Each structure stands twice: as C-alpha cells, then as structure tokens.
Amino acid sequence: MIQLEVKNLKKYFMTPAGSLHAVDDVSFTVEKGKTLGVVGESGCGKSTLGRAILALNEATGGQVLFEGTDITHPKGSVRKKMKRDMQIIFQDPYSSLDSRMSVQDLIAEPLNITGIVKGRENVRKRVLELMDTVGLAARYRLSYPHELDGGRRQRIGIARALAVEPKFIVCDEPVSALDVSIQAQILNLMADLQKERDLTYIFITHNLSVVKHISDDILVMYCGCLAEKSECDDLFEHPLHPYTKGLLSAIPIPNLHYKRERTLLEGEIVSPVNPAPGCRFATRCPHACDKCRAEQPEAREVLLNHFVACHRAEEINGL
C-alpha cells in the first residue's frame, strides 16, 4: 500500500541573486513499512526535500499526499494529526536538543505537548520505556546532552520521534556525525524498530554504503532534481544515469587487488539559482547532446520500477 505520494514537489528560496531551486519538480511514492533512501552530494536538496514533505519548509509548488490526505499546506486538524503520524530525526544530535533540558524532560516534551499520556507518573514510566526501547540506560535520565556522547544523543532524538507513536519518519542523515561503530548500532536499532512497529522511513544520506544497508528503494538527487529511482539492488547492479554511475564508482572497496573502471565526473556544477533550461547534469556529463542542454529531461520508467531522468538513457546503456 502506498503511504506517501509526492507529486511535482518544488521548493524555491528567494536570494539576492534570484530564485534558488532547492527542490525542483520531484515526484515519487513510498510504500507502507518500506524505506526510501535519498542520496546525492551535499547541496543537492536532500534535506530540503524531507523538510518540505513535513511542511517544515512550505512547498513552493506540487503536492504531498499522506495516506490519501493532502498535507502540502496542512492546517487545523490535518496539521495536528500530521504532527503525530509524521516525525523527523535530525542530522546533528546535539544542536537539535535543548542543552538546558535533561534526557527525561527532552523525551517527555512531545508526550506533554500532544497529551497522549496523562499524569506525571505515567509520563515518567513512558519515558523509561522509550529509553529502554532505544537502548539508553535509565541512569542517564537526569543527564544533560553535553554529558553524553553522539550515539546516546542520537538515541534521545530517536526516542523523541517514537514518543508520539508515528507511522512515518524522515531520517535526515541521522548517523553522519557518528563514529562507524556507533553508526552500525543506530542503523540496526532503526531497522529493528521498523520491523516491530511497521514504520515507514525516508532515509537521507550521502553515504551509499549506509543507504544500501537500510533501503528498499533508492532515489538519487542532483542539483534539486530527481536523477534516478529504483529498487536498491537494481540500482547498485544496473545504474542507468551517468551521475549514479559516478557516485557508485566512488565507493571505496577494501581490497588492494581489486581493479575496476572509475567514472570520473568532470566539469562545473551548475548554479541552482535561476538555472538555465536543460539537464542540470549536462555540464558534467560525457554523453550530453544539444537536446540535453536545451530541454530538462523528465523521469521515465526505462525498466520495470526503474525511473531515470536522462534523454539518452536507453542509448548509453544499450537498452
């Protein structure tokens, strides 16, 4: 069952130099209980996409449907329900937490705001349950964020997101600031929680190794636009967009004797401010033609459930 449907979503910011196209005409769907990984280099619009879906940044255009309800510009009862059903885990587990509040108070805050748990004693019990769920020892309940390491701080953020029993969570690079060993713990925790609670994730990251571990489908973004979207295994085995091929070839392989062909991306990155017509990747693409420079490609289903925004996808991949 499709839980989230995004149609031609746009988010522009006005700057002194003009209109910055942070997210430009992006469309996709996410099935209930699945994880959509969103990848791309820094500044491609990944985080803005997640925030626009949750209406933390008001969309400039397009539509967002959650379980059939339009939540693009939520108001009243729709917004109140959305705050419970949809949550976000922020990238920086320190700056997203109030340093003046204890762990107990931080986790209790969403419970008190929504009123889903009544009474101080019941709230305290629920906080301890959530701490146990995310693997945070009860002895830390009176500690403050600055007294904890990054992994424990991120567990607070996960507990806060789970407190209101959501159906859908945007995970905005939740492990990028953590050590590798801690990353694995958090990723495994999130995978376990998804199975237990039938949660739906949008997992935003620039780390392709991480996104392969946790995602069912992957969406590749470039300069605010959708470049490619397919099932996880299919994208890693048969990338069709030149940009995706470049990203995958940059993944380090821990084998000194392994030889592979690298796809080097050269050329200048186009400015997202008042972008010219044409494909945003044309300035770096070795296959770019006159049509690419003049006309923005739309995402097409080139293979089954494999969408690519490239005029020459079939030609360059021999399809």
Side-chain angles (χ1 to χ4, degrees):
M1 182 186 82
I2 293 176
Q3 188 170 53
L4 180 76
E5 185 173 7
V6 176
K7 299 180 179 179
N8 307 110
L9 188 64
K10 300 178 181 178
K11 177 57 186 176
Y12 301 163
F13 295 96
M14 291 307 300
T15 71
S19 178
L20 189 155
H21 293 213
V23 177
D24 205 353
D25 204 23
V26 174
S27 301
F28 60 88
T29 59
V30 186
E31 294 185 13
K32 180 176 174 59
K34 301 290 186 180
T35 298
L36 173 68
V38 181
V39 300
E41 56 199 61
S42 297
C44 71
K46 305 185 299 294
S47 295
T48 303
L49 173 66
R51 295 177 70 89
I53 289 170
L54 297 179
L56 297 177
N57 289 335
E58 187 175 0
T60 304
Q63 193 176 29
V64 180
L65 301 175
F66 182 75
E67 297 183 340
T69 302
D70 190 338
I71 59 167
T72 315
H73 305 285
K75 295 180 180 179
S77 60
V78 172
R79 188 173 187 88
K80 185 176 181 179
K81 186 176 186 300
M82 176 184 168
K83 285 182 176 180
R84 278 201 59 177
D85 290 344
M86 307 177 77
Q87 286 291 309
I88 184 170
I89 300 171
F90 293 99
Q91 177 178 359
D92 187 343
Y94 187 68
S95 64
S96 62
L97 301 174
D98 190 333
S99 60
R100 298 168 296 180
M101 297 176 68
S102 67
V103 172
Q104 179 176 267
D105 292 337
L106 285 165
I107 299 175
E109 186 178 33
L111 298 173
N112 293 328
I113 291 174
T114 57
I116 61 174
V117 178
K118 306 291 185 181
R120 291 183 66 178
E121 184 59 26
N122 290 333
V123 169
R124 190 186 71 83
K125 289 180 180 178
R126 180 61 178 148
V127 167
L128 292 175
E129 288 174 7
L130 287 164
M131 291 180 67
D132 182 61
T133 297
V134 300
L136 198 59
R139 68 178 183 272
Y140 293 117
R141 66 186 182 87
L142 298 179
S143 301
Y144 290 84
H146 71 273
E147 298 175 311
L148 305 176
D149 60 27
R152 291 189 177 92
R153 287 198 289 259
Q154 194 60 282
R155 290 173 192 270
I156 299 172
I158 296 172
R160 281 169 59 88
L162 293 175
V164 294
E165 299 178 359
K167 301 176 182 178
F168 173 88
I169 301 177
V170 172
C171 310
D172 186 8
E173 302 203 38
V175 297
S176 64
L178 307 178
D179 292 337
V180 174
S181 59
I182 305 300
Q183 285 186 16
Q185 294 176 23
I186 298 299
L187 290 172
N188 291 334
L189 169 63
M190 295 179 67
D192 291 341
L193 290 171
Q194 184 176 40
K195 291 178 183 178
E196 293 170 8
R197 303 181 179 221
D198 198 24
L199 294 169
T200 305
Y201 292 150
I202 284 184
F203 196 94
I204 298 168
T205 182
H206 61 269
N207 190 326
L208 284 161
S209 299
V210 167
V211 83
K212 184 179 182 181
H213 176 75
I214 199 169
S215 301
D216 297 292
D217 300 292
I218 297 179
L219 185 154
V220 180
M221 287 188 69
Y222 181 79
C223 206
C225 299
L226 184 154
E228 187 167 359
K229 179 183 180 293
S230 78
E231 294 178 358
C232 180
D233 292 339
D234 191 24
L235 185 125
F236 274 84
E237 293 174 10
H238 306 290
L240 301 181
H241 197 284
Y243 176 62
T244 307
K245 293 179 181 181
L247 286 181
L248 294 180
S249 75
I251 299 176
I253 296 176
N255 187 339
L256 293 175
H257 305 290
Y258 182 81
K259 303 292 183 182
R260 66 174 174 180
E261 184 179 347
R262 291 291 304 274
T263 302
L264 299 178
L265 301 179
E266 301 177 346
E268 293 293 326
I269 300 175
V270 298
S271 172
V273 178
N274 297 332
C279 177
R280 304 281 170 83
F281 189 62
T283 57
R284 305 174 71 189
C285 181
H287 308 286
C289 61
D290 292 340
K291 184 178 181 180
C292 300
R293 299 182 185 92
E295 183 181 330
Q296 174 69 25
E298 294 184 359
R300 300 176 291 112
E301 190 173 12
V302 176
L303 298 174
L304 182 63
N305 295 324
H306 198 140
F307 298 84
V308 185
C310 177
H311 292 304
R312 304 183 63 191
E314 293 90 346
E315 179 185 351
I316 64 179
N317 291 286
L319 301 177

Coordinates of all heavy atoms in Angstrom, one line a residue, residues 218-273:
I218 N 15.8 3.4 -3.7 CA 16.8 4.5 -3.6 C 16.4 5.6 -4.6 O 16.1 5.3 -5.8 CB 18.2 4.0 -3.9 CG1 18.7 3.1 -2.8 CG2 19.2 5.2 -3.9 CD1 20.1 2.5 -2.9
L219 N 16.4 6.8 -4.2 CA 16.2 8.0 -5.1 C 17.5 8.8 -5.1 O 18.0 9.2 -4.0 CB 15.0 8.8 -4.5 CG 14.6 10.0 -5.4 CD1 13.1 10.3 -5.1 CD2 15.4 11.3 -5.1
V220 N 18.0 9.0 -6.3 CA 19.3 9.8 -6.4 C 18.9 11.2 -6.9 O 18.2 11.4 -7.9 CB 20.2 9.1 -7.5 CG1 21.5 10.0 -7.6 CG2 20.5 7.7 -7.1
M221 N 19.4 12.2 -6.1 CA 19.1 13.6 -6.5 C 20.4 14.3 -7.0 O 21.5 14.0 -6.5 CB 18.6 14.4 -5.3 CG 17.1 14.0 -4.9 SD 16.5 15.1 -3.6 CE 16.3 16.6 -4.5
Y222 N 20.1 15.2 -7.9 CA 21.3 16.0 -8.4 C 20.7 17.4 -8.6 O 19.8 17.7 -9.4 CB 21.9 15.5 -9.7 CG 23.0 16.3 -10.2 CD1 24.3 16.2 -9.6 CD2 22.9 17.3 -11.2 CE1 25.4 16.9 -10.0 CE2 23.9 18.0 -11.6 CZ 25.2 17.9 -11.0 OH 26.3 18.6 -11.4
C223 N 21.3 18.4 -7.9 CA 21.0 19.8 -8.1 C 19.5 20.1 -8.0 O 19.0 20.8 -8.8 CB 21.6 20.3 -9.4 SG 22.0 22.1 -9.4
G224 N 18.9 19.5 -7.0 CA 17.5 19.7 -6.8 C 16.5 18.9 -7.6 O 15.3 18.9 -7.3
C225 N 17.0 18.1 -8.5 CA 16.1 17.3 -9.4 C 16.3 15.8 -9.1 O 17.4 15.3 -8.6 CB 16.4 17.6 -10.8 SG 16.2 19.3 -11.3
L226 N 15.3 15.0 -9.4 CA 15.4 13.5 -9.4 C 16.3 13.1 -10.6 O 15.9 13.4 -11.7 CB 14.1 12.9 -9.4 CG 13.9 11.4 -9.3 CD1 12.6 11.0 -8.7 CD2 14.1 10.6 -10.6
A227 N 17.3 12.3 -10.3 CA 18.1 11.8 -11.4 C 17.7 10.3 -11.7 O 17.6 9.9 -12.9 CB 19.6 11.9 -11.1
E228 N 17.5 9.5 -10.7 CA 17.2 8.1 -10.9 C 16.6 7.6 -9.6 O 16.8 8.0 -8.5 CB 18.5 7.3 -11.2 CG 18.3 5.9 -11.5 CD 19.6 5.2 -12.1 OE1 20.6 5.9 -12.2 OE2 19.5 4.0 -12.4
K229 N 15.6 6.6 -9.8 CA 15.0 6.0 -8.7 C 14.7 4.5 -9.1 O 14.1 4.3 -10.2 CB 13.7 6.7 -8.3 CG 12.9 6.0 -7.2 CD 11.6 6.7 -6.9 CE 10.8 6.0 -5.7 NZ 10.4 4.6 -6.1
S230 N 15.0 3.6 -8.2 CA 14.7 2.2 -8.5 C 14.9 1.4 -7.2 O 15.2 2.0 -6.1 CB 15.7 1.6 -9.5 OG 16.9 1.3 -9.0
E231 N 14.6 0.1 -7.3 CA 14.8 -0.8 -6.1 C 16.3 -0.8 -5.8 O 17.2 -0.6 -6.7 CB 14.4 -2.2 -6.4 CG 12.8 -2.3 -6.6 CD 12.4 -3.7 -6.9 OE1 13.3 -4.6 -7.1 OE2 11.2 -3.9 -7.1
C232 N 16.7 -1.0 -4.5 CA 18.0 -0.8 -4.1 C 19.0 -1.7 -4.8 O 20.0 -1.2 -5.4 CB 18.1 -1.2 -2.6 SG 19.8 -1.0 -1.9
D233 N 18.7 -3.0 -4.9 CA 19.6 -3.9 -5.6 C 19.8 -3.6 -7.1 O 20.9 -3.7 -7.6 CB 19.2 -5.4 -5.4 CG 19.3 -5.9 -3.9 OD1 20.1 -5.3 -3.2 OD2 18.6 -6.8 -3.6
D234 N 18.7 -3.3 -7.7 CA 18.7 -2.9 -9.1 C 19.6 -1.7 -9.4 O 20.3 -1.7 -10.4 CB 17.2 -2.7 -9.6 CG 17.2 -2.6 -11.1 OD1 18.0 -3.2 -11.8 OD2 16.2 -2.0 -11.6
L235 N 19.5 -0.7 -8.5 CA 20.3 0.5 -8.7 C 21.8 0.2 -8.6 O 22.6 0.7 -9.4 CB 19.9 1.6 -7.8 CG 20.6 2.9 -8.0 CD1 19.5 4.0 -8.2 CD2 21.5 3.3 -6.9
F236 N 22.2 -0.6 -7.6 CA 23.6 -0.9 -7.5 C 24.1 -1.8 -8.6 O 25.3 -1.7 -8.9 CB 23.8 -1.6 -6.1 CG 24.0 -0.6 -5.0 CD1 22.9 0.0 -4.4 CD2 25.3 -0.2 -4.6 CE1 23.1 1.0 -3.3 CE2 25.4 0.8 -3.6 CZ 24.3 1.3 -3.0
E237 N 23.3 -2.7 -9.1 CA 23.7 -3.7 -10.1 C 23.6 -3.1 -11.5 O 24.4 -3.4 -12.4 CB 22.9 -4.9 -10.0 CG 23.1 -5.7 -8.8 CD 22.2 -6.9 -8.6 OE1 21.5 -7.2 -9.6 OE2 22.1 -7.5 -7.6
H238 N 22.6 -2.2 -11.7 CA 22.4 -1.7 -13.1 C 22.1 -0.2 -13.1 O 20.9 0.2 -13.4 CB 21.2 -2.4 -13.8 CG 21.4 -3.9 -13.8 ND1 22.3 -4.6 -14.6 CD2 20.7 -4.9 -13.1 CE1 22.2 -5.9 -14.4 NE2 21.3 -6.1 -13.5
P239 N 23.0 0.6 -12.6 CA 22.8 2.1 -12.7 C 22.6 2.6 -14.1 O 23.4 2.1 -15.0 CB 24.0 2.7 -12.0 CG 25.1 1.6 -12.2 CD 24.4 0.3 -12.2
L240 N 21.7 3.4 -14.4 CA 21.4 3.9 -15.7 C 21.8 5.3 -16.0 O 22.2 5.7 -17.1 CB 20.0 3.7 -16.1 CG 19.4 2.3 -16.0 CD1 18.0 2.2 -16.4 CD2 20.2 1.3 -16.9
H241 N 21.8 6.2 -14.9 CA 22.1 7.6 -15.1 C 23.6 7.8 -14.9 O 24.2 7.2 -14.0 CB 21.4 8.4 -14.0 CG 21.3 9.9 -14.4 ND1 22.4 10.7 -14.2 CD2 20.3 10.6 -14.9 CE1 22.0 11.9 -14.6 NE2 20.8 11.9 -15.0
P242 N 24.2 8.6 -15.8 CA 25.7 8.8 -15.7 C 26.1 9.3 -14.3 O 27.2 9.0 -13.8 CB 26.0 9.9 -16.8 CG 24.9 9.7 -17.7 CD 23.7 9.3 -17.0
Y243 N 25.3 10.1 -13.7 CA 25.6 10.6 -12.3 C 25.6 9.5 -11.3 O 26.5 9.4 -10.4 CB 24.6 11.7 -11.9 CG 24.9 12.2 -10.5 CD1 26.1 12.9 -10.2 CD2 23.9 12.1 -9.5 CE1 26.3 13.3 -8.9 CE2 24.1 12.6 -8.2 CZ 25.3 13.2 -7.9 OH 25.5 13.6 -6.6
T244 N 24.6 8.6 -11.4 CA 24.6 7.5 -10.4 C 25.8 6.6 -10.6 O 26.4 6.1 -9.6 CB 23.3 6.7 -10.7 OG1 22.2 7.5 -10.6 CG2 23.2 5.6 -9.6
K245 N 26.2 6.4 -11.9 CA 27.4 5.6 -12.1 C 28.7 6.2 -11.5 O 29.5 5.5 -10.9 CB 27.6 5.4 -13.6 CG 26.5 4.6 -14.3 CD 26.8 4.5 -15.8 CE 25.7 3.7 -16.5 NZ 25.9 3.6 -18.0
G246 N 28.7 7.5 -11.6 CA 29.9 8.2 -10.9 C 29.9 8.1 -9.4 O 30.9 7.9 -8.8
L247 N 28.7 8.2 -8.8 CA 28.6 8.0 -7.3 C 29.0 6.6 -6.9 O 29.7 6.4 -6.0 CB 27.1 8.3 -6.9 CG 26.6 9.7 -6.9 CD1 25.2 9.7 -6.4 CD2 27.5 10.6 -6.0
L248 N 28.5 5.6 -7.6 CA 28.8 4.2 -7.3 C 30.3 3.9 -7.4 O 30.8 3.1 -6.7 CB 27.9 3.3 -8.1 CG 26.4 3.3 -7.8 CD1 25.7 2.3 -8.7 CD2 26.1 3.1 -6.4
S249 N 30.9 4.5 -8.5 CA 32.3 4.2 -8.7 C 33.2 4.8 -7.7 O 34.4 4.4 -7.6 CB 32.7 4.6 -10.1 OG 32.8 6.0 -10.2
A250 N 32.7 5.7 -6.9 CA 33.5 6.4 -5.9 C 33.4 5.7 -4.5 O 34.1 6.0 -3.6 CB 33.0 7.8 -5.7
I251 N 32.6 4.6 -4.4 CA 32.5 3.8 -3.2 C 33.9 3.1 -3.0 O 34.3 2.3 -3.8 CB 31.4 2.8 -3.2 CG1 30.0 3.6 -3.3 CG2 31.4 2.0 -1.9 CD1 28.9 2.6 -3.5
P252 N 34.5 3.3 -1.9 CA 35.8 2.6 -1.6 C 35.6 1.1 -1.4 O 34.6 0.7 -0.7 CB 36.4 3.3 -0.4 CG 35.2 3.9 0.3 CD 34.2 4.2 -0.8
I253 N 36.4 0.3 -2.0 CA 36.4 -1.2 -1.8 C 37.6 -1.6 -1.0 O 38.7 -1.4 -1.5 CB 36.3 -1.9 -3.1 CG1 34.9 -1.5 -3.8 CG2 36.3 -3.4 -3.0 CD1 34.8 -2.1 -5.2
P254 N 37.5 -2.3 0.1 CA 38.6 -2.7 0.9 C 39.3 -3.9 0.4 O 39.4 -4.9 1.0 CB 38.0 -2.9 2.3 CG 36.6 -3.4 2.0 CD 36.2 -2.6 0.8
N255 N 39.9 -3.8 -0.8 CA 40.6 -4.9 -1.4 C 41.7 -4.3 -2.3 O 41.4 -3.6 -3.4 CB 39.7 -5.7 -2.3 CG 40.3 -7.0 -2.8 OD1 41.6 -7.0 -2.9 ND2 39.5 -8.0 -3.1
L256 N 42.9 -4.4 -1.9 CA 44.0 -3.8 -2.7 C 44.2 -4.4 -4.1 O 44.8 -3.7 -5.0 CB 45.4 -4.0 -1.9 CG 45.5 -3.2 -0.5 CD1 46.7 -3.6 0.2 CD2 45.4 -1.7 -0.7
H257 N 43.7 -5.6 -4.3 CA 44.0 -6.2 -5.6 C 42.8 -6.1 -6.5 O 42.8 -6.6 -7.6 CB 44.3 -7.7 -5.3 CG 45.5 -7.9 -4.4 ND1 46.8 -7.6 -4.7 CD2 45.5 -8.4 -3.1 CE1 47.6 -7.9 -3.7 NE2 46.8 -8.3 -2.7
Y258 N 41.7 -5.5 -6.0 CA 40.5 -5.4 -6.9 C 40.7 -4.2 -7.8 O 41.0 -3.1 -7.5 CB 39.3 -5.1 -6.0 CG 38.0 -5.0 -6.8 CD1 37.3 -6.2 -7.2 CD2 37.4 -3.8 -7.1 CE1 36.1 -6.1 -7.9 CE2 36.2 -3.7 -7.8 CZ 35.6 -4.9 -8.2 OH 34.4 -4.8 -8.9
K259 N 40.5 -4.5 -9.1 CA 40.6 -3.4 -10.2 C 39.2 -3.2 -10.7 O 38.5 -4.1 -11.1 CB 41.5 -3.9 -11.3 CG 42.9 -4.3 -10.8 CD 43.7 -3.0 -10.3 CE 45.1 -3.4 -9.9 NZ 45.9 -2.3 -9.4
R260 N 38.9 -1.9 -10.9 CA 37.6 -1.6 -11.5 C 37.8 -0.3 -12.3 O 38.7 0.5 -12.1 CB 36.5 -1.4 -10.5 CG 36.7 -0.2 -9.6 CD 35.5 0.0 -8.7 NE 35.8 1.0 -7.7 CZ 34.9 1.4 -6.8 NH1 33.8 0.8 -6.7 NH2 35.2 2.3 -5.9
E261 N 36.8 -0.1 -13.2 CA 36.8 1.2 -14.0 C 36.2 2.3 -13.3 O 35.0 2.1 -12.8 CB 36.1 0.9 -15.3 CG 36.2 2.1 -16.3 CD 35.5 1.8 -17.6 OE1 35.2 0.6 -17.9 OE2 35.2 2.7 -18.4
R262 N 36.8 3.4 -13.1 CA 36.3 4.5 -12.4 C 35.6 5.5 -13.3 O 36.0 5.7 -14.5 CB 37.4 5.3 -11.6 CG 38.0 4.6 -10.5 CD 37.0 4.4 -9.3 NE 36.5 5.7 -8.9 CZ 37.1 6.5 -8.0 NH1 38.3 6.2 -7.5 NH2 36.6 7.7 -7.6
T263 N 34.5 6.1 -12.9 CA 33.8 7.1 -13.7 C 34.0 8.4 -13.0 O 33.5 8.7 -11.9 CB 32.2 6.8 -13.7 OG1 32.0 5.5 -14.3 CG2 31.5 7.8 -14.5
L264 N 34.9 9.2 -13.7 CA 35.3 10.5 -13.1 C 34.3 11.6 -13.6 O 34.1 11.7 -14.8 CB 36.7 10.8 -13.5 CG 37.8 9.8 -13.0 CD1 39.1 10.3 -13.4 CD2 37.7 9.7 -11.4
L265 N 33.8 12.3 -12.7 CA 32.8 13.4 -13.1 C 33.6 14.7 -13.1 O 34.1 15.2 -12.1 CB 31.7 13.6 -12.0 CG 30.8 12.3 -11.8 CD1 29.8 12.6 -10.8 CD2 30.2 11.9 -13.1
E266 N 33.7 15.3 -14.3 CA 34.5 16.5 -14.6 C 33.5 17.6 -14.9 O 32.3 17.4 -15.1 CB 35.5 16.3 -15.7 CG 36.5 15.2 -15.3 CD 37.5 14.9 -16.5 OE1 37.2 15.4 -17.6 OE2 38.5 14.3 -16.3
G267 N 34.0 18.8 -15.0 CA 33.2 19.9 -15.4 C 32.6 20.7 -14.2 O 32.9 20.3 -13.1
E268 N 31.9 21.8 -14.5 CA 31.4 22.7 -13.5 C 30.0 22.3 -13.1 O 29.2 21.9 -13.9 CB 31.4 24.1 -14.0 CG 32.8 24.7 -14.2 CD 33.6 24.9 -12.9 OE1 33.0 25.2 -11.9 OE2 34.8 24.7 -12.9
I269 N 29.7 22.4 -11.8 CA 28.4 22.2 -11.3 C 27.5 23.4 -11.5 O 28.0 24.6 -11.3 CB 28.4 21.9 -9.7 CG1 29.2 20.7 -9.4 CG2 27.0 21.7 -9.2 CD1 29.4 20.4 -8.0
V270 N 26.4 23.3 -12.1 CA 25.5 24.4 -12.5 C 25.0 25.1 -11.2 O 24.8 24.4 -10.2 CB 24.4 24.0 -13.4 CG1 24.9 23.5 -14.7 CG2 23.4 23.1 -12.7
S271 N 24.8 26.4 -11.2 CA 24.2 27.1 -10.1 C 22.7 26.8 -10.0 O 22.0 26.8 -11.0 CB 24.4 28.6 -10.3 OG 23.7 29.3 -9.2
P272 N 22.2 26.5 -8.8 CA 20.8 26.3 -8.6 C 20.0 27.6 -8.6 O 18.7 27.5 -8.5 CB 20.7 25.5 -7.3 CG 21.9 26.0 -6.5 CD 22.9 26.3 -7.5
V273 N 20.7 28.7 -8.7 CA 20.0 30.0 -8.7 C 19.6 30.4 -10.1 O 20.5 30.5 -11.0 CB 20.9 31.1 -8.1 CG1 20.1 32.4 -8.1 CG2 21.2 30.7 -6.6

